[in-house]
Amino acid sequence: MKLFSQFALITFMFVLAAHALLASGAHAKDIYFDSHWTLWQNADILIWTPDKEPPIDPKEFCLSLRRNNTGIGEPKCRLFGEWERDTVASRYASWLSSNMEPGLDAHYLKARHPAMMAKFQTLEDKIVLYIADKGNNLQVAIFDETSSEPKAAGTVTKKADKIALGDEIASALFDRHTKRRLTKEERLKMETEPDELYKESPTFRSWVGISAGYAQAQVPFTPDSWYRSHIKSRVGNYRVTRDSVSLWNFMDDSTPLFTLYAGGIWFGFIGGEIFYRYSNHDVKIDERDSVYEELDHWDFTQHEIGLNVMFSRTYAPIKWMDLHLFAFLGFQYSFYSEDIELKSSKKKPSKEYETRFKTEDPYKGALLGFGFQSVFLQHYGLSVRTGISSRGKDIYTEPSPDAAAEPTTIGASTVDWFISVGLEYHWTPFK
Amino acid sequence: MAALLFSGCAGSYQWSKSHPAYKKAPYGELTVTGLQKAFVLTRTKWFANRLDFGDSTQIKATEFCAKAMEQEFRGGYGKIIVLSDSVLDNAPEESQKLDDRIFMKGKLPEQGVVVKAPDGTIPEQILLIHEVIVGTDLKRENFFDYALIHNESEEKREVKNISAVISYTLWDNIKQRPLFSAVDEIQHPVIKFGLTDLEQLMRQTVQQIRKNLYQGVGK
């Protein structure tokens, strides 16, 4: 154990020493700034200097680049004679040499002459490596077609050995990931392609869809205690529960949910949807109650139709997929159709059976939620939505003389949470 | 005190810009250019009614202002070299950004080309005067804020001040870079207007420039 810790300590010291060495090595170059410029594979590198003789040899520099950066492919390097012979360019080159200092950002080094700016714009994928002699150091800078200020600038220590100097410059400025250059056809295609950002949203987009989901009384991330009394409740004697405010006192709340729907949206912003929802709920009878011995099954089918208003926002993360985020708000009518049957052996139902609870027709409710539609290839959509929906009835009804004799009407306020996944077909009927 | 008030009022704009390499304000010696063509007189009629220049108020008043300004510069620096405006004839007009909406236009010498004095010497720094607008109750934002320059300025009946709006650049002639660029606004109250007021206005203008050149160092 002790041996191991000693070994770890020595390793640590060694790493520290290596770092110190590297740091002292870094003094040989001093890069003032280096922005995100693109280094192309098989790059064309033009060496531009205001001095009489370039301090590096273009061919040797190409080899240095290949040694230093394996991803660079086969670069071509040559002296940039056109600019060295040009008055405007050579004036800017000497100006740059006297102005490049640590602490000055790229925009202080911008070429101001219109003719010089035009020269930068016509570079077309070529990378200009500027090298100027400054006593003990060489000033180096990188230019490309995207800007008339240097993309990177700094100094490296001057060396008589051209190969070593080339290696130094290659490691100082060209040590980065390379990108494949576009071919002429690809470039032309890129230029003629419409910009995705400016893609027009259709005036109207419509869809039909079918979805399957799940609904339950409890809204996620809310305490159980809010629902416990409703969920635990059982129906005694065909009609008796602790309270009748929620339908979930009588029926099973957690069920599969199926929806058919159709909708449309204007300008990808405001729209509407009409829907039909179906689910089936068993009545939660109290099994201990002997009155149910006659009963074969008892359940309710819930049919809901409604209308949503929706607000949407469209994103295009990938070329062949549109993502529409939306929120919706709507109202619905809920109908319950009862399915009850006695055992075949039982000829006449009990008195309790005759006075069992009844549901209102219809319940009115609201729903609220959000979701997204991801539409592939402009037509095939996958949609996920979640929300809460409610069903209620008017509490204040006309009093009638035989109200007491009528069975209790139930479900003044029934709320549930739902989530569903739908398959959709989208189309734009008119542009 | 007045300067304090001004800087307080114009707090929403940045009216000057220093290069990181601006380390020393000109002292004792100054080379100036722009004194010939930079002057513009606005509300010529108002001035013509009060000055005895006949039909050529515009020309004579601006000449008078240029002379007064040169005079004041001579008083402030031991040695003044005035270069002819033609040294910048071939330079393109460029704009320098001082603030989000403040752009200052003017000719600057080309990169890589030094400006020589007539005697062949090369001045280290040159004060380039781009534009001097002389008028009544002028506000510099109306001339230099690009959101306001197209606004029609209201013609005020009552003149409170005569004013000068001046844009200038202190140019590093050796390294061809702008060391300090600014737009100044000078107001001089009018009681009974005469040529001495115009002279006074120019005097205040030069004082303001000198002050700003000092304050701009190392900013």
Side-chain angles (χ1 to χ4, degrees):
Chain A
M1 193 62 202
K2 200 179 173 193
L3 198 75
F4 175 75
S5 68
Q6 267 177 353
F7 176 72
L9 191 70
I10 289 167
T11 316
F12 178 68
M13 295 299 278
F14 180 77
V15 168
L16 265 189
H19 272 273
L21 260 177
L22 279 175
S24 69
H27 277 295
K29 59 192 180 207
D30 182 9
I31 301 301
Y32 305 150
F33 58 87
D34 193 353
S35 61
H36 300 284
W37 56 281
T38 313
L39 178 57
W40 302 109
Q41 268 171 27
N42 308 331
D44 269 329
I45 292 166
L46 302 168
I47 298 163
W48 178 38
T49 171
D51 309 320
K52 277 191 190 122
E53 283 287 319
I56 52 170
D57 180 69
K59 272 186 194 145
E60 287 297 341
F61 182 62
C62 256
L63 295 174
S64 297
L65 283 177
R66 292 175 67 172
R67 272 196 300 277
N68 187 260
N69 190 337
T70 46
I72 203 163
E74 286 182 29
K76 288 197 236 30
C77 311
R78 66 172 176 89
L79 293 180
F80 202 179
E82 299 95 304
W83 281 17
E84 284 172 17
R85 286 189 293 274
D86 185 278
T87 316
V88 174
S90 62
R91 277 180 185 165
Y92 175 63
S94 62
W95 178 87
L96 192 62
S97 169
S98 64
N99 273 274
M100 219 197 280
E101 318 173 344
L104 286 193
D105 295 343
H107 73 270
Y108 285 112
L109 302 175
K110 189 174 164 56
R112 288 169 21 231
H113 199 290
M116 195 63 219
M117 295 189 207
K119 279 184 210 304
F120 285 120
Q121 280 169 17
T122 51
L123 278 175
E124 217 184 281
D125 282 0
K126 294 187 188 73
I127 296 162
V128 175
L129 171 62
Y130 169 92
I131 309 178
D133 199 327
K134 201 80 176 173
N136 292 329
N137 292 324
L138 289 175
Q139 293 172 319
V140 286
I142 295 286
F143 291 91
D144 65 17
E145 65 173 323
T146 59
S147 145
S148 47
E149 50 192 49
K151 296 301 225 175
T155 56
V156 294
T157 311
K158 200 155 96 181
K159 283 176 188 158
D161 183 354
K162 285 191 174 186
I163 298 173
L165 184 61
D167 284 343
E168 183 77 41
I169 294 173
S171 77
L173 291 172
F174 293 88
D175 191 11
R176 56 178 65 212
H177 285 292
T178 54
K179 259 193 191 168
R180 188 179 66 88
R181 257 157 83 174
L182 298 177
T183 64
K184 260 197 181 144
E185 292 78 33
E186 283 172 323
R187 195 183 257 269
L188 197 71
K189 192 165 171 270
M190 280 272 279
E191 275 168 13
T192 49
E193 238 173 33
D195 193 329
E196 288 295 313
L197 283 174
Y198 291 94
K199 203 167 77 171
E200 276 186 45
S201 63
T203 318
F204 185 74
R205 172 172 55 89
S206 51
W207 60 87
V208 291
I210 179 164
S211 81
Y214 172 76
Q216 67 176 29
Q218 184 172 5
V219 180
F221 312 114
T222 52
D224 294 350
S225 58
W226 292 5
Y227 312 93
R228 199 180 296 130
S229 68
H230 299 314
I231 293 169
K232 289 235 167 119
S233 155
R234 289 287 178 275
V235 184
N237 234 7
Y238 282 105
R239 61 178 293 164
V240 183
T241 59
R242 279 249 177 96
D243 80 64
S244 63
V245 78
S246 170
L247 284 173
W248 308 138
N249 281 317
F250 299 86
M251 300 175 199
D252 193 10
D253 60 300
S254 60
T255 56
L257 176 74
F258 301 95
T259 316
L260 281 174
Y261 55 97
I265 197 154
W266 282 269
F267 302 105
F269 169 60
I270 188 166
E273 214 174 37
I274 187 165
F275 62 85
Y276 162 75
R277 312 202 311 168
Y278 167 92
S279 56
N280 192 279
H281 303 262
D282 286 335
V283 176
K284 300 189 289 192
I285 52 174
D286 192 344
E287 302 286 358
R288 292 168 301 182
D289 211 334
S290 59
V291 73
Y292 295 124
E293 276 168 10
E294 58 179 352
L295 194 63
D296 182 64
H297 66 270
W298 188 16
D299 54 62
F300 283 87
T301 309
Q302 174 185 288
H303 304 277
E304 292 180 321
I305 54 165
L307 200 63
N308 281 332
V309 178
M310 55 199 288
F311 297 94
S312 170
R313 172 100 209 241
T314 300
Y315 298 90
I318 323 171
K319 209 177 206 171
W320 37 270
M321 188 188 101
D322 288 334
L323 186 68
H324 310 285
L325 304 185
F326 61 86
F328 59 89
L329 175 69
F331 68 90
Q332 62 182 356
Y333 289 100
S334 307
F335 304 90
Y336 289 87
S337 73
E338 189 181 33
D339 180 14
I340 187 166
E341 208 171 322
L342 296 179
K343 280 179 181 146
S344 49
S345 55
K346 191 82 179 172
K347 287 284 176 288
K348 193 174 170 287
S350 59
K351 191 176 144 241
E352 287 84 359
Y353 176 92
E354 300 293 353
T355 58
R356 68 184 185 274
F357 74 81
K358 292 274 187 291
T359 56
E360 284 281 294
D361 256 355
Y363 290 95
K364 284 177 250 176
L367 70 172
L368 176 72
F370 62 92
F372 67 86
Q373 296 169 315
S374 42
V375 182
F376 300 92
L377 303 170
Q378 299 183 340
H379 289 298
Y380 310 100
L382 180 77
S383 169
V384 176
R385 59 185 71 202
T386 181
I388 50 177
S389 68
S390 74
R391 290 144 212 94
K393 69 181 188 73
D394 293 332
I395 295 170
Y396 298 103
T397 46
E398 288 281 312
S400 69
D402 50 1
E406 279 182 359
T408 324
T409 50
I410 59 167
S413 168
T414 308
V415 180
D416 68 356
W417 165 78
F418 64 90
I419 184 163
S420 66
V421 179
L423 296 174
E424 297 174 353
Y425 182 77
H426 291 247
W427 75 100
T428 49
F430 48 88
K431 288 273 171 183
Chain B
M1 187 62 202
L4 204 87
L5 222 97
F6 274 130
S7 59
C9 288
S12 53
Y13 291 111
Q14 174 78 31
W15 285 109
S16 65
K17 192 181 177 189
S18 301
H19 193 279
Y22 184 36
K23 297 276 157 58
K24 197 171 133 282
Y27 177 76
E29 190 182 323
L30 185 72
T31 307
V32 191
T33 184
L35 286 177
Q36 289 162 329
K37 292 183 193 159
F39 289 78
V40 178
L41 187 72
T42 63
R43 290 202 74 184
T44 317
K45 222 172 172 181
W46 187 89
F47 283 100
N49 289 340
R50 283 159 183 81
L51 297 171
D52 198 14
F53 283 140
D55 285 342
S56 44
T57 306
Q58 173 70 243
I59 297 167
K60 287 193 173 152
T62 51
E63 267 175 9
F64 177 85
C65 287
K67 281 236 177 66
M69 183 175 275
E70 191 184 327
Q71 205 63 36
E72 185 58 29
F73 272 125
R74 284 192 193 284
Y77 294 90
K79 190 185 169 196
I80 285 285
I81 302 165
V82 178
L83 297 179
S84 156
D85 286 14
S86 61
V87 294
L88 291 180
D89 274 354
N90 294 324
E93 194 167 61
E94 292 178 39
S95 61
Q96 298 181 64
K97 187 179 179 180
L98 301 184
D99 201 350
D100 279 345
R101 276 158 41 178
I102 306 291
F103 289 86
M104 180 176 125
K105 265 193 171 179
K107 288 184 169 185
L108 301 177
E110 204 181 313
Q111 286 166 319
V113 180
V114 290
V115 175
K116 279 185 187 162
D119 60 357
T121 54
I122 295 170
E124 248 180 70
Q125 295 174 335
I126 306 174
L127 182 68
L128 310 170
I129 294 175
H130 302 303
E131 196 173 29
V132 186
I133 307 163
V134 180
T136 59
D137 296 315
L138 299 177
K139 286 214 159 59
R140 52 185 164 178
E141 52 268 33
N142 292 339
F143 295 91
F144 288 93
D145 182 336
Y146 70 73
L148 301 179
I149 44 181
H150 295 295
N151 289 3
E152 201 77 25
S153 66
E154 50 190 322
E155 187 90 338
K156 284 203 181 125
R157 268 168 292 164
E158 196 192 352
V159 172
K160 282 188 181 149
N161 297 305
I162 51 167
S163 27
V165 173
I166 179 166
S167 58
Y168 56 93
T169 300
L170 182 67
W171 185 253
D172 181 341
N173 194 31
I174 308 299
K175 294 195 167 185
Q176 298 99 42
R177 55 192 181 187
L179 291 176
F180 179 76
S181 320
V183 175
D184 281 340
E185 173 191 295
I186 297 94
Q187 307 285 354
H188 176 72
V190 174
I191 299 157
K192 188 173 174 298
F193 178 72
L195 269 181
T196 46
D197 286 304
L198 218 49
E199 200 181 338
Q200 198 62 39
L201 179 71
M202 287 302 116
R203 181 166 293 165
Q204 280 173 289
T205 306
V206 172
Q207 282 164 2
Q208 185 65 44
I209 294 173
R210 292 186 62 192
K211 198 169 148 210
N212 282 358
L213 286 179
Y214 279 110
Q215 286 178 342
V217 171
K219 259 189 186 168

